[in-house]
Amino acid sequence: MQSSVTVSPSQVPELLLGLATVRPVFLWGAPGIGKSSLVNQFAESLGLECVSLLGTQLAPEDLIGVPQITPEGRSRFCPPEAIARDQPYCLFLDELNAATPDVQKAFYSLILDRRIGSYELPPGSIVIGAGNRATDGALARPMPSALLNRLVHVHLRASASDWLRWAAGAGIHPWISDYLTDRPDHLWSAPPKTEEAFSTPRAWHMLSDALHSFGPTLDEPTLKVLAHGLLTPTHATALCGYAKIVRNSYGLDAILKGDASWPNRVEDRDLLYYLADAFRGRLVKELPASKEHASPSVRQTAYRAKALLVQLAEISVEVAQTVIADAPDGNPVLPSWFLIEAARDMPRLVEARR
């Protein structure tokens, strides 16, 4: 299921407070963006124990229970101990839409009537489900319309500002929080079509734990293994470049001022990619959409940027192309007037360097 209306993690608690206390709610979202953590934190805020059932690991009898013969010679289904509780609690149905059709059917009465057989959830209990979307490449089955219509659907998106606020008090490694402060668009990327790592809030958290575990003795080859084992390849390369800057005090400002040049060693290619990406971000931020709105200092920045592009292309045409490349949707990221001037002035700038 997709929706054009999404919420950030910081909006979820208030929504659940108004919704989950009266109707069952289903949280949709990509893998690794914190759905389970949000439900657990919400239950804790209400003083309720959170009982999680993982849809992919359930059989119908795990919900309905097993039959027991009563003294009267009749059978009665005994609900499992995890569900049959005397005190109100939060029942979290994780990966509900990944469960088999029989298991999903078993949830019908629990979700709509708050009942399993003769057992009813204690007053004050809440029911929340969560799952990934079929477009995320995760295990997901079509949800029957009868079940779909029994739930209030909330679509969650990743939010860098929310995650960074959380990270400030969660002991996240400073390389991670500082890097994502500069590149918030790298917090999450869509799951790839192939089997490879991709960036999510969960992946960044895991990388932070690994960085803390290795400590200050972490070397560059090991960092590369860790980053590429958890993140989208381009994000991993950029992070490794950022780490070199932190360790070696090698920054973009020095290059822009002419106090340093682009790194040209083969072993510094990840650093070159990071600096080029930061260069692109700086130009996007400082160059106006229209040249008429450019101040003399901005025009000087544009002239210096064209010279730096020539120097960058001399080291790697591929890296230089990433600076002027269009966005994924085909629209130019840098203003058209700058791109036109760069194409016009490039031969003269190249000649001036000979």
Side-chain angles (χ1 to χ4, degrees), residues 8 11 16 25 32 35 57 111 155 176 182 191 203 214 217 270 282 288 312 329 346 351:
S8 66
Q11 295 174 282
L16 290 181
V25 176
K35 299 184 294 294
Q57 298 180 3
I111 291 173
H155 296 260
I176 303 296
D182 290 339
F214 279 91
T217 60
D270 54 356
R282 183 72 65 88
L312 185 58
D329 60 5
M346 201 68 71
E351 185 64 30

Side-chain angles (χ1 to χ4, degrees), residues 247-258:
R247 285 174 161 169
N248 301 312
S249 300
Y250 194 120
L252 177 63
D253 287 334
I255 295 175
L256 293 175
K257 293 176 182 177

